[in-house]
Amino acid sequence: MGHRIALIPGDGIGPEVTDAAVRVITKVGVDIDWVVGDIGAGALEKRGTQLPEDVLDLIRETKVALKGPVTTPIGGGFQSANVLLRKALQLYASLRPVKNVPGITSCYTGVDLIVIRENTEGLYSGIEHEVVPGVVESLKIITRAASSRIARFAFDYAIRTGRKKITAVHKANIMKKSDGLFLECAREVAAKHPEIDYEEMIVDSACMQLVMKPHKFDVLLMENLYGDILSELCSGLVGGVAVVPGANIGDEIAVFEAVHGSAPDIGGKNVANPTGLILSSVMMLRHIGEAEAAGRIESALFSVLRRGETRTRDLGGTATTTEMTDAVIQALGEQ
Ligand code: NAD
């Protein structure tokens, strides 16, 4: 039986990279009924809201979505469609596997770590107000329920995938109550899983150690803001935001998307690197039980990157998004 999956093209380079992933999945022959729904700046312009209720309903129904990045204005304007989506669908776990990609040179080799980020609270509560002119307050919300939930997710994930160590990243020396509660919950879950090594690290030290010794790390567990920042730092260890995939996962629903944003500087120019989104679709295929197709796409993509003849500009080549996608499709045909 075919799969019914929501496709969210997004803004900027989103439509180009999601189109690349759909073309590759079509070539590999997985039977998917894509149902398109849009969110973000484009949706706001066309439909008056950045997160239309019918698109939320669509994802609730399909339970799986492949999503392009969306644009969020800086310093004002509308609220992030991503933050609203993750809260509305309780996609509480952001999962970003950071691994060297064959053929892509970076400062390190052998990096293989997982960033797990709490996706629904922290400073992303969106609760901000001006106390008096010139004084603004942003509220960081940390709850026992959400902190225990993400810690359980991290330990379950580590056990299921054969990982050995979890590092909880925090700033509980300063935010004693909020990050203190996050750590308390992580420790409670860790105590039930002595088979996984558990350690804690202050976020500033974690940044330094990630850059100096990324191989020390296995699974990183953290609240929302640290996870946002550190997952991009980690992407830099293996070649940047364009080559790292991701997923936002809840108890029933999963939305797959790359780490990168909508890249307005190159949107619509057909030069975006589709690697991150294609690798996100590989994660999605594994999630829906299409592991064989996932493996085929991954090895076709890696063979194109390893050969190095067809690379997008960010990887030092001259290929367009379409040309790189064509090369992956051709490599699939040669398998
Ligand atoms: P960005 O990731 O969009 O771009 C950063 C740099 O990386 C730019 O130079 C861009 O050209 C380049 N880049 C990104 N993806 C690329 C790709 N696939 N191929 C080639 N080059 C690529 O980050 P930004 O500029 O900070 O943010 C732009 C917009 O994206 C903002 O509105 C932000 O809110 C949004 N954003 C969305 C998501 C998401 O939807 N998941 C994530 C991050 C940022």
Side-chain angles (χ1 to χ4, degrees), residues 252-270:
E252 290 190 0
I253 300 172
V255 175
F256 295 82
E257 64 176 340
V259 167
H260 62 74
S262 58
D265 51 332
I266 56 168
K269 296 185 179 158
N270 195 23

Side-chain angles (χ1 to χ4, degrees), residues 13 67 69-72 82 242 257 260-266 272-273 314:
I13 61 172
K67 173 184 166 295
V70 297
T71 300
T72 308
N82 285 326
E257 64 176 340
H260 62 74
S262 58
D265 51 332
I266 56 168
N273 182 350
D314 58 304

Side-chain angles (χ1 to χ4, degrees), residues 13 17 67-74 80 82 86 96 228 232 241-243 248 257-266 271-277 312-314:
I13 61 172
V17 290
K67 173 184 166 295
V70 297
T71 300
T72 308
I74 292 171
S80 160
N82 285 326
R86 292 165 192 166
R96 291 174 167 178
D228 193 1
E232 290 224 8
V241 282
V243 301
N248 300 293
E257 64 176 340
V259 167
H260 62 74
S262 58
D265 51 332
I266 56 168
V271 295
N273 182 350
T275 299
L277 215 286
T312 44
R313 278 188 341 200
D314 58 304

Side-chain angles (χ1 to χ4, degrees), residues 83-156:
V83 172
L84 295 173
L85 178 82
R86 292 165 192 166
K87 275 193 201 160
L89 300 178
Q90 282 299 296
L91 304 169
Y92 58 86
S94 159
L95 178 69
R96 291 174 167 178
V98 179
K99 205 173 168 178
N100 285 98
V101 180
I104 296 183
T105 311
S106 72
C107 298
Y108 306 91
T109 54
V111 174
D112 181 8
L113 52 88
I114 306 287
V115 180
I116 294 180
R117 156 188 175 193
E118 204 294 321
N119 236 354
T120 62
E121 54 180 35
L123 272 169
Y124 291 63
S125 63
I127 306 172
E128 289 191 317
H129 65 117
E130 191 174 56
V131 184
V132 291
V135 181
V136 170
E137 193 171 43
S138 291
L139 294 187
K140 171 163 170 164
I141 309 289
I142 297 287
T143 64
R144 175 172 290 282
S147 303
S148 299
R149 180 171 67 172
I150 194 68
R152 283 195 302 272
F153 178 93
F155 278 86
D156 288 349

Side-chain angles (χ1 to χ4, degrees), residues 3-329:
H3 308 272
R4 195 169 146 79
I5 294 181
L7 180 69
I8 318 288
D11 301 314
I13 61 172
E16 297 156 68
V17 290
T18 49
D19 180 61
V22 169
R23 287 184 57 213
V24 168
I25 293 173
T26 306
K27 171 69 184 178
V28 90
V30 182
D31 181 9
I32 295 181
D33 175 17
W34 297 104
V35 195
V36 179
D38 223 342
I39 70 171
L44 179 69
E45 205 180 302
K46 282 188 226 126
R47 307 191 53 198
T49 166
Q50 68 273 44
L51 186 60
E53 196 56 43
D54 59 311
V55 181
L56 280 176
D57 285 341
L58 167 68
I59 305 172
R60 284 188 188 107
E61 181 224 313
T62 60
K63 309 241 182 299
V64 179
L66 184 64
K67 173 184 166 295
V70 297
T71 300
T72 308
I74 292 171
F78 62 91
Q79 252 193 306
S80 160
N82 285 326
V83 172
L84 295 173
L85 178 82
R86 292 165 192 166
K87 275 193 201 160
L89 300 178
Q90 282 299 296
L91 304 169
Y92 58 86
S94 159
L95 178 69
R96 291 174 167 178
V98 179
K99 205 173 168 178
N100 285 98
V101 180
I104 296 183
T105 311
S106 72
C107 298
Y108 306 91
T109 54
V111 174
D112 181 8
L113 52 88
I114 306 287
V115 180
I116 294 180
R117 156 188 175 193
E118 204 294 321
N119 236 354
T120 62
E121 54 180 35
L123 272 169
Y124 291 63
S125 63
I127 306 172
E128 289 191 317
H129 65 117
E130 191 174 56
V131 184
V132 291
V135 181
V136 170
E137 193 171 43
S138 291
L139 294 187
K140 171 163 170 164
I141 309 289
I142 297 287
T143 64
R144 175 172 290 282
S147 303
S148 299
R149 180 171 67 172
I150 194 68
R152 283 195 302 272
F153 178 93
F155 278 86
D156 288 349
Y157 180 86
I159 291 162
R160 200 163 17 95
T161 56
R163 297 268 166 180
K164 304 277 179 264
K165 184 168 83 171
I166 292 184
T167 307
V169 177
H170 66 93
K171 191 75 186 174
N173 50 332
I174 305 298
M175 280 162 273
K176 295 177 193 292
K177 284 201 180 298
S178 54
D179 283 14
L181 176 59
F182 187 84
L183 280 187
E184 194 182 307
C185 297
R187 282 177 200 152
E188 282 167 11
V189 179
K192 293 184 185 139
H193 297 289
E195 69 275 36
I196 302 286
D197 285 344
Y198 172 73
E199 65 174 11
E200 295 169 355
M201 201 174 284
I202 294 176
V203 62
D204 31 342
S205 171
C207 289
M208 183 269 290
Q209 296 199 45
L210 273 163
V211 171
M212 292 195 69
K213 298 175 191 159
H215 308 101
K216 271 184 51 165
F217 294 89
D218 191 355
V219 176
L220 294 153
L221 163 66
M222 60 204 104
E223 58 83 86
N224 215 336
L225 180 64
Y226 311 148
D228 193 1
I229 297 169
L230 263 65
S231 57
E232 290 224 8
L233 183 153
C234 289
S235 77
L237 303 174
V238 297
V241 282
V243 301
V244 175
N248 300 293
I249 300 174
D251 287 331
E252 290 190 0
I253 300 172
V255 175
F256 295 82
E257 64 176 340
V259 167
H260 62 74
S262 58
D265 51 332
I266 56 168
K269 296 185 179 158
N270 195 23
V271 295
N273 182 350
T275 299
L277 215 286
I278 293 177
L279 288 176
S280 304
S281 71
V282 165
M283 286 175 76
M284 183 194 78
L285 290 174
R286 293 200 169 113
H287 176 81
I288 62 171
E290 298 283 359
E292 201 245 322
R296 285 187 58 204
I297 292 176
E298 195 173 53
S299 63
L301 174 66
F302 289 171
S303 77
V304 169
L305 290 169
R306 222 181 270 115
R307 281 202 293 259
E309 290 148 13
T310 318
R311 284 163 177 254
T312 44
R313 278 188 341 200
D314 58 304
L315 300 179
T318 55
T320 62
T321 311
T322 310
E323 284 163 349
M324 186 161 161
T325 311
D326 289 345
V328 177
I329 288 171

